[in-house]
Amino acid sequence: VGMAGAAAPRFKVVMGEGAQGPEFSLDPDPCPPRPTQGLMKGDKLEEQDPCPRQPIQGLMKGDKLEVEGPGPEPTAPQQPTEEEEALIEFHRSYRELFQFFCNNTTIHGAIRLVCSQHNRMKTAFWAVLWLCTFGMMYWQFGLLFGEYFSYPVSLNINLNSDKLVFPAVTVCTLNPYRYAEIKGELEELDHITEQTLFDLYKYNSSNTVAARPRGRRDLRETLPHPLQRLRAPPPPHGARRARSAASGVRDNNPQVDWKDWTIGFQLCNQNKSDCFYQTYSSGVDAVREWYRFHYINILSRLSDTLPPLEEDLLGNFIFACRFNQVSCNQANYSHFHHPVYGNCYTFNDKNNSNLWMSSMPGINNGLSLMLRTEQNDFIPLLSTVTGARVMVHGQDEPAFMDDGGFNVRPGVETSISMRKEALDRLGGNYGDCTKNGSDVPVKNLYRSKYTQQVCIHSCFQESMIEQCGCAYIFYPRPRDVEYCDYRKHSSWGYCYYKLQVDFSSDRLGCFTKCRKPCSVTSYQLSAGYSRWPSVTSQEWVFQMLSRQNNYTINNKRDGVAKLNIFFKELKYKTNSESPSVTMVTLLSNLGSQWSLWFGSSVLSVVEMAELIFDLLGITFLMLLRRFRSRYWSPGRGGRGAREVASTPPSSFPSRFCPHPTSPSLAQPGPAPLPALAAPPPAYATLGPCLSPGGSGSAGPSSSACPLGEP
């Protein structure tokens, strides 16, 4: 906008959006502000207004400020020299950044991208090679991290030699004792069983059938679930034809029509809506299982307190006991009753005040037992073997005679040598084990430490109580829960055998719930056998036993057995797991791969991080500059000036006082009004004029007065 007789002052046109529509204002400041934030290194700011500027913020190192136009040259702010460094500075372009990185990095091969920049083929070759090695390195990194997070373990084997605590040894009679409270019911069961054998197999027992000649129909009314003969389903046609072709000669065994039927007993649910037959192909197995089923029901009627143990009860089964050449006493063992294996005695258990220690290996420094294996007053239909049942286990572990025991043969000296082994597993992410069973969702029903067998048996007992309403007599029962008896729980047999099928197929989830313990101590056993007593010494041995232990010499060798248990050596093996890949190993492997592919160190990794940071910074500044140039570009101000020029003169203000642009404008006398084409319509947005006392003002024409003042 020009002025008559003087240099044309310059004004800034500000466009705004008011409540009544677009508003325009004239700022008398001859130096309109321009967007200077976000400028990058190398950008130039061109000005046409001849006025001094404040130091522009946000300029990078090396930026130039060029001012064009009439008027005195403004004093430019002092720019940082090449030696000075700003707090944060970025390069002007990606090319400059990568060139600086390749010239100064310690990573091998990167400098070849700059040295061969005049040869495009070499530049492309080194660029592809550098990217391929970079990709291969991070592929190896992925494999190393995958191996680390798979949590592999290493097995360490240590051999130690020291004094060892002798384990607990449990010995059972292999035949249950007849309690006086249920002796009458057991005799009735024996008679019914023998009568059943006569009906099914024509087996005649001289003492039972002759003494009580009652019919089986009268006997079967006293016991439910009678043993029956069931016709087996016919075999397939092909199998029958092959059998008839192969059987040219008849068997010499007597035929009782056993090929066409099986033995079993029927079990039904509570309302008799579902029944099945528990069948067996062997008559011996069927009779034993049927007798065992009824024996459990009779045994469950016993009171909680077992009959007191007599003083000479141990002497009826164990003739002699010595450990480390010292005789045992009553404080060295404890007694419990097993439903099938009878009276059991545990030596050196946790109740022993002084645990046995082995300081020397060998048969003379272990446990030596002389056992009586006679079957006096025992139950022949429940157990068909003779001898003794033995198990070696830890002091805090219960004796599961079915799972880990072995039998001792009568008339034989059995020598068991032991070797101790310990296993320490890693828990957590390295293995599915538990330290004490507190994190296993199964309640421990045994008064012992956690083992996997303890958990499995407790889990089955919980399922038995939940689904059948009673507890199985082979396992401990919680309080306020009764043992299963078909007089009180008529369908418990149906529920039990169904539950056994689900338990074997792990549909109960016991094998999944019960995790392995992290610390396990086991004993590796090896057995040796010899005839005892010998032919030349049996006469005086039996005479001594008959006089001291009331041994019946008529049975001779079949009534006694000898057992020796000792440590083979005091060396024991400890198997311990340790992490195969630790954090130190992982860092070492990562550094090896980095050095293999790039030949650099940790500081080179920092250089890569710095490169990524610079890339992000330059990208952000470039986006910011593009955003500001689109929405706050100088072109939008030019369009505003053209809109102001098209405004009619009637809307121009009556008077206003512009700022002087130079000292030559401030002269005495009336100041000529500028020839404006169109004034802005929004007068309220115009700022105040300079005060008369301001520097460079002279005369009333330069006096400041607010717009709209009368």
Side-chain angles (χ1 to χ4, degrees):
V1 181
M3 295 183 62
R10 300 179 183 273
F11 301 93
K12 177 179 68 174
V13 180
V14 180
M15 300 176 61
E17 189 72 22
Q20 302 299 329
E23 296 182 359
F24 301 89
S25 62
L26 293 178
D27 194 344
D29 186 6
C31 303
R34 296 184 181 274
T36 58
Q37 301 294 332
L39 294 180
M40 305 180 67
K41 184 175 181 180
D43 295 341
K44 299 180 180 180
L45 180 64
E46 299 180 359
E47 293 288 344
Q48 297 179 359
D49 296 338
C51 60
R53 294 291 181 181
Q54 297 295 329
I56 299 175
Q57 302 295 329
L59 292 182
M60 299 185 183
K61 182 177 180 180
D63 294 350
K64 298 180 179 180
L65 181 64
E66 298 181 2
V67 180
E68 298 177 0
E73 186 71 20
T75 303
Q78 184 179 2
Q79 298 295 332
T81 61
E82 293 296 335
E83 289 77 11
E84 296 179 356
E85 291 185 359
L87 180 62
I88 298 177
E89 62 179 73
F90 296 98
H91 296 275
R92 292 177 297 179
S93 63
Y94 293 118
R95 181 183 181 87
E96 182 180 345
L97 172 63
F98 281 108
Q99 187 173 4
F100 173 81
F101 174 78
C102 293
N103 283 332
N104 298 277
T105 185
T106 59
I107 299 177
H108 291 184
I111 195 172
R112 301 296 301 175
L113 298 175
V114 180
C115 294
S116 59
Q117 61 182 352
H118 298 292
N119 192 330
R120 294 184 178 180
M121 181 178 294
K122 288 186 177 182
T123 303
F125 169 76
W126 280 101
V128 172
L129 184 61
W130 196 85
L131 292 176
C132 290
T133 54
F134 193 80
M136 288 295 297
M137 182 191 67
Y138 275 95
W139 176 64
Q140 293 291 333
F141 280 6
L143 295 180
L144 293 176
F145 278 107
E147 182 183 6
Y148 175 77
F149 286 107
S150 64
Y151 301 104
V153 296
S154 300
L155 186 63
N156 304 321
I157 300 177
N158 299 323
L159 294 178
N160 306 306
S161 180
D162 199 359
K163 295 175 61 176
L164 299 178
V165 178
F166 199 81
V169 179
T170 300
V171 185
C172 299
T173 60
L174 264 183
N175 238 319
Y177 177 75
R178 290 182 182 271
Y179 288 97
E181 292 86 346
I182 58 175
K183 192 172 183 179
E185 296 185 48
L186 290 176
E187 291 178 353
E188 183 72 16
L189 178 61
D190 291 344
H191 182 71
I192 295 176
T193 305
E194 292 175 357
Q195 186 67 45
T196 302
L197 290 175
F198 178 78
D199 293 343
L200 296 178
Y201 292 97
K202 305 305 178 183
Y203 169 73
N204 188 4
S205 178
S206 58
N207 43 357
T208 303
V209 177
R212 305 180 63 180
R214 288 196 297 170
R216 183 169 175 261
R217 292 185 177 181
D218 298 334
L219 295 173
R220 65 187 295 179
E221 295 177 358
T222 60
L223 293 176
H225 314 290
L227 197 63
Q228 303 176 19
R229 183 177 67 181
L230 307 173
R231 182 168 295 276
H237 179 70
R240 183 184 304 175
R241 183 174 55 187
R243 184 181 63 179
S244 60
S247 59
V249 181
R250 297 179 59 86
D251 295 334
N252 295 326
N253 299 329
Q255 300 297 319
V256 202
D257 296 335
W258 57 270
K259 291 184 179 181
D260 298 331
W261 50 267
T262 58
I263 300 294
F265 52 97
Q266 188 181 33
L267 298 167
C268 298
N269 58 359
Q270 187 71 28
N271 53 8
K272 310 296 182 182
S273 61
D274 185 20
C275 299
F276 71 94
Y277 284 92
Q278 184 72 14
T279 60
Y280 301 89
S281 59
S282 172
V284 176
D285 295 338
V287 173
R288 287 186 65 250
E289 185 65 24
W290 180 78
Y291 190 95
R292 181 172 175 266
F293 174 72
H294 289 286
Y295 173 77
I296 289 174
N297 288 274
I298 296 174
L299 196 63
S300 63
R301 299 165 199 164
L302 286 174
S303 59
D304 294 337
T305 59
L306 294 176
L309 187 64
E310 301 177 1
E311 293 293 336
D312 60 343
L313 189 58
L314 179 65
N316 292 336
F317 175 55
I318 299 177
F319 289 160
C321 172
R322 294 176 64 85
F323 176 77
N324 201 13
Q325 305 299 324
V326 179
S327 299
C328 307
N329 52 39
Q330 192 174 359
N332 298 133
Y333 69 90
S334 60
H335 168 263
F336 68 94
H337 182 269
H338 193 275
V340 173
Y341 297 109
N343 290 327
C344 299
Y345 305 90
T346 302
F347 295 88
N348 197 38
D349 62 351
K350 61 181 180 180
N351 297 325
N352 192 0
S353 58
N354 296 321
L355 295 179
W356 292 340
M357 300 291 296
S358 293
S359 57
M360 292 290 291
I363 192 172
N364 295 325
N365 299 286
L367 177 64
S368 179
L369 299 173
M370 188 182 300
L371 307 176
R372 181 176 182 173
T373 58
E374 286 182 312
Q375 304 293 309
N376 295 340
D377 201 25
F378 286 166
I379 304 175
L381 292 171
L382 188 62
S383 179
T384 58
V385 296
T386 182
R389 186 79 172 178
V390 183
M391 182 178 177
V392 179
H393 55 92
Q395 274 78 19
D396 294 334
E397 301 176 6
F400 295 107
M401 308 305 295
D402 288 328
D403 301 338
F406 59 92
N407 293 339
V408 175
R409 180 182 175 183
V412 173
E413 181 179 5
T414 305
S415 298
I416 306 296
S417 61
M418 301 182 300
R419 179 178 292 175
K420 181 181 177 181
E421 288 190 5
L423 175 61
D424 295 330
R425 299 186 179 94
L426 288 176
N429 296 324
Y430 292 95
D432 188 18
C433 70
T434 177
K435 292 184 178 180
N436 53 10
S438 59
D439 53 348
V440 175
V442 177
K443 183 180 179 180
N444 187 358
L445 300 179
Y446 294 83
R447 297 179 179 178
S448 63
K449 72 174 186 179
Y450 176 86
T451 63
Q452 193 172 20
Q453 290 176 318
V454 165
C455 179
I456 290 175
H457 290 304
S458 300
C459 177
F460 180 82
Q461 186 74 303
E462 287 184 357
S463 302
M464 187 78 183
I465 296 172
E466 180 181 355
Q467 300 186 22
C468 304
C470 57
Y472 191 49
I473 198 172
F474 275 53
Y475 309 133
R477 62 187 173 101
R479 293 182 178 180
D480 303 329
V481 178
E482 296 180 339
Y483 282 124
C484 294
D485 181 11
Y486 49 60
R487 291 185 179 180
K488 299 178 181 179
H489 315 89
S490 59
S491 62
W492 83 265
Y494 169 87
C495 179
Y496 168 74
Y497 286 103
K498 288 285 189 181
L499 204 64
Q500 276 283 1
V501 177
D502 296 339
F503 175 75
S504 302
S505 58
D506 199 25
R507 285 196 287 267
L508 299 180
C510 293
F511 296 97
T512 305
K513 297 176 184 177
C514 297
R515 296 182 290 167
K516 298 178 181 179
C518 294
S519 298
V520 179
T521 300
S522 60
Y523 299 92
Q524 303 298 325
L525 308 179
S526 57
Y529 307 95
S530 61
R531 185 176 180 177
W532 185 87
S534 63
V535 177
T536 57
S537 61
Q538 62 182 355
E539 293 297 332
W540 74 270
V541 170
F542 291 146
Q543 286 292 334
M544 295 294 295
L545 292 177
S546 63
R547 294 183 180 183
Q548 186 178 2
N549 303 102
N550 297 324
Y551 176 70
T552 305
I553 60 176
N554 295 331
N555 293 330
K556 292 188 178 180
R557 190 181 305 279
D558 295 336
V560 293
K562 194 171 183 180
L563 175 65
N564 300 315
I565 301 177
F566 56 92
F567 277 112
K568 183 178 181 180
E569 55 185 10
L570 294 182
K571 295 180 181 179
Y572 63 95
K573 183 171 61 174
T574 302
N575 302 321
S576 59
E577 293 181 349
S578 61
S580 179
V581 180
T582 61
M583 181 59 67
V584 177
T585 308
L586 177 63
L587 293 178
S588 177
N589 294 336
L590 293 178
S592 300
Q593 292 296 324
W594 185 277
S595 299
L596 173 65
W597 296 104
F598 286 102
S600 52
S601 62
V602 177
L603 299 180
S604 303
V605 180
V606 179
E607 292 178 4
M608 293 291 298
E610 182 186 13
L611 174 64
I612 296 174
F613 175 76
D614 291 343
L615 285 174
L616 295 177
I618 292 178
T619 304
F620 173 76
L621 291 178
M622 292 182 65
L623 293 176
L624 180 63
R625 184 174 63 178
R626 179 174 298 180
F627 179 79
R628 293 177 63 87
S629 64
R630 174 176 298 180
Y631 294 99
W632 288 284
S633 61
R636 293 180 57 87
R639 290 193 297 270
R642 288 192 296 271
E643 293 176 0
V644 172
S646 62
T647 306
S650 60
S651 60
F652 191 74
S654 57
R655 59 190 179 93
F656 63 92
C657 301
H659 292 283
T661 58
S662 62
S664 61
L665 296 177
Q667 297 178 359
L673 293 177
L676 294 177
Y683 306 108
T685 60
L686 297 177
C689 301
L690 295 176
S691 60
S695 60
S697 62
S701 61
S702 61
S703 63
C705 59
L707 296 176
E709 182 179 310

